[in-house]
Amino acid sequence: MVALWMLVASVFFALMGASIKLASAKVGFFDIIFYRSFVNVLIVAALIKIKRLGFRTRHLGLHMKRAAIGNAAMYCGFYSLIHLPIATATTLGYTNPIFQSVITFITAKGQLTGKLLFSVLLGFVGILVLLRPDMPHGEYAATLIGLLSGLLTALAYFNVGKLVRTGEPELRVVFYFSLVGTLVGLVMAGAIGFAALDAVTLLNVCAIGVFGSLGQITMTRAYGSGNPVIVSILSYSTIIFSTLLGYLIFDEKQSYIAAVGMALIILSGGLAILRRAPAKVRRPAAAAQD
């Protein structure tokens, strides 16, 4: 059942990515940010009320720091999704376990084991393969921004861990993250001017928020009821579903070189997760993009 919950979450996240790409043809970048965050904040606020958790917090500063990093990661991820094939952008977002290993080593002064070094180096080889010399300049820039999304997501997880250790409920963490995203999207899209929505585009922007929220909820259920290491590895199935949707909806075909790079990153992420198996793996329910 745990595997099923994570696979369902992966489908929702892949559908969110496809919805972002579809909506980007008609609405602006900050419109997407606003609708994604606004729908999410409504759903999370309703869940907080149902569970009677309350909205007050004694750690507002830490919430704002986490929200700033998390939203920056989300913006980079969305930019990458809009300008790259879905599978490539999704893979770049999933480099965060590689960066988490590096951050853990630096902050905890951990031992540089052979397994750690191998997993990190393998991941960066995969990244270099994706950054192939023949890549168009526009895609090159979007790839670097997608990679930045992976780094910022790792930093967001680090701050989520701090909040969870203070006793903050995850739903409250997600609420403040989405609230900040809503306000930033509202101000920026309002200054530029919201794009007019026809029926199909309205459905797409609502789907972004709904699929993202459903992905969070089902992923939280998976992490709450099963082995976090297995669930973390299964989360990479999002790349498979994204590849399938990219082919079916956008006729996106991956080159052999790109496929090798993606495979190396997936393998590296899996090894990084397994390396942390003895410790409790942080649940990314409140992470940047989801």
Side-chain angles (χ1 to χ4, degrees):
M1 195 63 183
V2 174
L4 180 60
W5 279 120
M6 191 61 243
L7 289 174
V8 170
S10 295
V11 171
F12 283 137
F13 288 136
L15 287 170
M16 182 188 73
S19 300
I20 289 170
K21 204 168 186 70
L22 287 169
S24 67
K26 294 290 184 69
V27 301
F29 178 77
F30 287 105
D31 295 55
I32 292 174
I33 295 296
F34 170 75
Y35 291 118
R36 163 67 178 97
S37 301
F38 181 62
V39 173
N40 196 53
V41 83
L42 291 178
I43 293 173
V44 174
L47 291 173
I48 288 176
K49 293 293 287 185
I50 291 171
K51 295 190 175 185
R52 298 181 179 179
L53 295 175
F55 296 95
R56 290 187 178 182
T57 178
R58 292 180 295 176
H59 308 283
L60 185 61
L62 196 53
H63 274 290
M64 293 300 103
K65 181 180 178 182
R66 175 264 178 279
I69 297 172
N71 274 281
M74 183 174 71
Y75 303 160
C76 291
F78 283 10
Y79 182 90
S80 180
L81 276 168
I82 292 169
H83 293 89
L84 293 174
I86 295 178
T88 303
T90 303
T91 303
L92 291 169
Y94 276 85
T95 57
N96 70 81
I98 304 169
F99 291 114
Q100 278 184 279
S101 295
V102 176
I103 291 170
T104 300
F105 171 74
I106 294 172
T107 57
K109 294 182 172 62
Q111 183 180 0
L112 184 60
T113 65
K115 290 181 179 179
L116 170 62
L117 183 61
F118 177 74
S119 66
V120 171
L121 289 177
L122 187 65
F124 282 109
V125 168
I127 292 167
L128 290 174
V129 172
L130 276 182
L131 291 170
R132 58 193 187 278
D134 62 335
M135 177 178 287
H137 178 72
E139 286 193 13
Y140 191 86
T143 301
L144 290 178
I145 292 174
L147 186 59
L148 179 60
S149 170
L151 172 59
L152 291 172
T153 299
L155 291 171
Y157 283 166
F158 182 73
N159 284 278
V160 168
K162 287 183 178 180
L163 278 166
V164 172
R165 286 192 291 274
T166 67
E168 285 289 86
E170 287 184 353
L171 281 174
R172 193 182 295 156
V173 177
V174 177
F175 172 78
Y176 281 105
F177 160 68
S178 298
L179 181 62
V180 170
T182 300
L183 294 175
V184 171
L186 179 63
V187 170
M188 294 302 296
I192 299 170
F194 279 94
L197 300 178
D198 55 32
V200 174
T201 308
L202 177 61
L203 183 62
N204 280 335
V205 295
C206 288
I208 294 170
V210 171
F211 286 139
S213 297
L214 290 175
Q216 275 187 330
I217 293 168
T218 50
M219 183 173 65
T220 301
R221 177 66 64 90
Y223 274 94
S225 57
N227 186 322
V229 175
I230 294 175
V231 175
S232 293
I233 292 175
L234 284 174
S235 70
Y236 277 86
S237 62
T238 303
I239 298 172
I240 298 173
F241 295 123
S242 295
T243 303
L244 181 61
L245 288 175
Y247 177 75
L248 293 176
I249 300 176
F250 305 102
D251 195 30
E252 295 176 347
K253 300 179 179 66
Q254 295 295 324
S255 69
Y256 289 115
I257 294 176
V260 169
M262 290 164 58
L264 289 174
I265 291 171
I266 293 171
L267 179 58
S268 171
L271 290 174
I273 292 167
L274 288 172
R275 188 195 63 80
R276 299 199 304 272
K280 183 179 179 181
V281 178
R282 295 187 186 94
R283 293 179 293 171
Q289 298 181 8
D290 306 331

